[in-house]
Amino acid sequence: MRELRTLPKAHLHLHFTGSARLATIQQLADQYGISLPPALANQDFDWGDRGQDWSYFQNRYDAARQTIRSAKDIHRIIREAAEDDVMEGSGWLELQVDPSSYARHLGGVNPAVEVMLEACQDASRATGIGIGLVLAVSWSASPEHAEHIARVAARYAHCGVVGFGISNDERLGEPDNFVVASHIARDAGLLVTPHTGFYTDYRHVRRCVELLGARRIGHGITAALSSRTLDMLAQRQVTMEICPTSYLPLGVLSSLRQVPVTTFQQAGVPVALAADDPLIFGTRLVGQYEIMRSVHGLDDQALADLARQAVCAATAPEEVAGRLRSGIDAWVGA
Ligand SMILES: [Zn+2]
């Protein structure tokens, strides 16, 4: 059995705030005189019944976000996320962020994006990992706000923004509201990657692909229950960003065995394993691969295939992707 940490990886689904180290969030909270919810501060992952409530996740997330206020904080979080990813074999990282959440501390949406892009470049130079930024809006956003953020994403498309995301609880919005925004993003050459198929069924996933032109899907686990949808996803080679440790705490699956990676693989649908919010769920990228090995019994060849699928779905420059592919071949050939 090969060491999973040394398997070269692309990490395609990691939220900016959710990437933070707990110790860093605690230090920032102390610095700003903010008290964190005990569950977050203790990193107590016994979610119990409350784990089935999205608001419980959202409250923890919002508390952590309150502690990130300055350009310096943002540089620190992104630098540490890059360091942690490099330690886990990742050579390409896509960080997802809703810039509106930080705009008030940084003088507006555009300045916030510029701070983040600068932080990505600094972290990339310091650690050697390539980083792309996915600008996201919440599913609860108005069409006008989504279009505004899509235009901002388009504006920075050649400076490190690689995609347009729709995050948060997908029950809060309809794909129809994001058609224009997705067009704006796609016209600028950006990837569209909405969160869907977490609480909603396969029909919501299909609409994200058909109406929004999504080339990747955040989660999309309910699509595994519809053979027609699996066929469509396979035909279009839409990649599912699967984050095994995100589903049990929120009650959408009841065991790690139910994470439908094998169903997608058997249907020919690409999968990219990712960590989503390690600050909240407690597991980083290697842990997701470990679950596929220990719980699903995948051998090293299958794990290497998953790593290849993530590289294939990444927005990384060909030079980076090629290096990762060669590294994966070397890992599995060793
Ligand atoms: Zn997510």
Side-chain angles (χ1 to χ4, degrees), residues 5 9 11 14 16-24 76-93 95 123 127 129 131 275 278-279 283-287:
R5 206 173 45 78
K9 303 171 193 74
H11 195 181
L14 182 68
F16 165 70
T17 306
S19 78
R21 296 174 187 166
L22 180 62
T24 298
R76 178 177 178 185
I77 303 275
I78 292 182
R79 170 70 175 264
E80 291 176 352
E83 288 171 357
D84 291 345
D85 249 50
V86 166
M87 287 295 292
E88 299 211 320
S90 173
W92 175 257
L93 170 61
L95 264 182
T127 63
I129 192 174
I131 309 176
L279 173 70
T283 306
R284 303 199 77 93
L285 183 58
V286 167

Side-chain angles (χ1 to χ4, degrees), residues 6-318:
T6 60
L7 170 63
K9 303 171 193 74
H11 195 181
L12 309 186
H13 190 130
L14 182 68
H15 295 273
F16 165 70
T17 306
S19 78
R21 296 174 187 166
L22 180 62
T24 298
I25 294 297
Q26 279 173 323
Q27 277 179 19
L28 292 173
D30 291 346
Q31 181 186 319
Y32 293 120
I34 297 165
S35 60
L36 292 172
L40 181 66
N42 297 333
Q43 205 137 18
D44 164 15
F45 295 112
D46 179 14
W47 290 71
D49 295 336
R50 290 173 303 169
Q52 302 193 13
D53 181 351
W54 175 268
S55 66
Y56 188 61
F57 165 82
Q58 193 63 50
N59 294 342
R60 289 172 158 208
Y61 203 86
D62 290 343
R65 188 159 46 205
Q66 292 297 314
T67 69
I68 305 168
R69 301 191 168 189
S70 70
K72 191 176 159 207
D73 303 340
I74 287 171
H75 275 257
R76 178 177 178 185
I77 303 275
I78 292 182
R79 170 70 175 264
E80 291 176 352
E83 288 171 357
D84 291 345
D85 249 50
V86 166
M87 287 295 292
E88 299 211 320
S90 173
W92 175 257
L93 170 61
E94 293 178 19
L95 264 182
Q96 187 160 153
V97 67
D98 181 344
S100 324
S101 305
Y102 302 94
R104 76 190 171 96
H105 294 301
L106 297 164
V109 168
N110 285 351
V113 172
E114 285 171 18
V115 164
M116 283 168 181
L117 287 172
E118 196 185 275
C120 290
Q121 284 160 11
D122 283 358
S124 186
R125 267 195 298 272
T127 63
I129 192 174
I131 309 176
L133 205 58
V134 175
L135 296 191
V137 293
S138 165
W139 272 108
S140 64
S142 68
E144 294 74 23
H145 180 68
E147 288 154 30
H148 169 57
I149 298 301
R151 275 191 290 273
V152 173
R155 178 175 171 181
Y156 293 100
H158 299 292
C159 323
V161 173
V162 296
F164 174 69
I166 311 173
S167 57
N168 210 314
D169 180 346
E170 82 267 20
R171 293 170 298 188
L172 299 173
E174 289 298 323
D176 309 65
N177 293 341
F178 298 87
V179 170
V180 176
S182 297
H183 261 290
I184 293 166
R186 291 206 319 274
D187 283 352
L190 296 172
L191 167 91
V192 172
T193 177
H195 285 58
T196 174
F198 195 91
Y199 288 116
T200 54
D201 71 12
Y202 66 92
R203 285 169 291 199
H204 199 275
V205 178
R206 291 184 73 95
R207 285 164 74 212
C208 285
V209 175
E210 288 164 352
L211 286 177
L212 309 183
R215 302 287 308 143
R216 290 202 329 237
I217 292 290
H219 308 299
I221 53 170
T222 59
L225 300 172
S226 158
S227 58
R228 228 178 100 232
T229 305
L230 287 171
D231 287 347
M232 185 265 266
L233 295 168
Q235 198 183 3
R236 300 190 187 207
Q237 287 295 286
V238 174
T239 298
M240 315 307 281
E241 302 161 3
I242 300 291
C243 312
T245 49
S246 297
Y247 310 122
L248 272 60
L250 292 169
V252 293
L253 295 179
S254 55
S255 87
L256 285 171
R257 288 204 58 76
Q258 294 176 339
V259 178
V261 170
T262 308
T263 308
F264 285 125
Q265 297 288 273
Q266 286 170 351
V269 180
V271 166
L273 294 179
D276 206 3
D277 295 294
L279 173 70
I280 308 290
F281 300 123
T283 306
R284 303 199 77 93
L285 183 58
V286 167
Q288 315 300 326
Y289 283 83
E290 274 166 359
I291 286 167
M292 294 316 300
R293 172 184 270 171
S294 62
V295 180
H296 291 251
L298 295 197
D299 62 16
D300 287 356
Q301 187 65 55
L303 292 164
D305 278 347
L306 283 171
R308 284 192 193 99
Q309 289 165 46
V311 172
C312 184
T315 60
E318 180 45 35

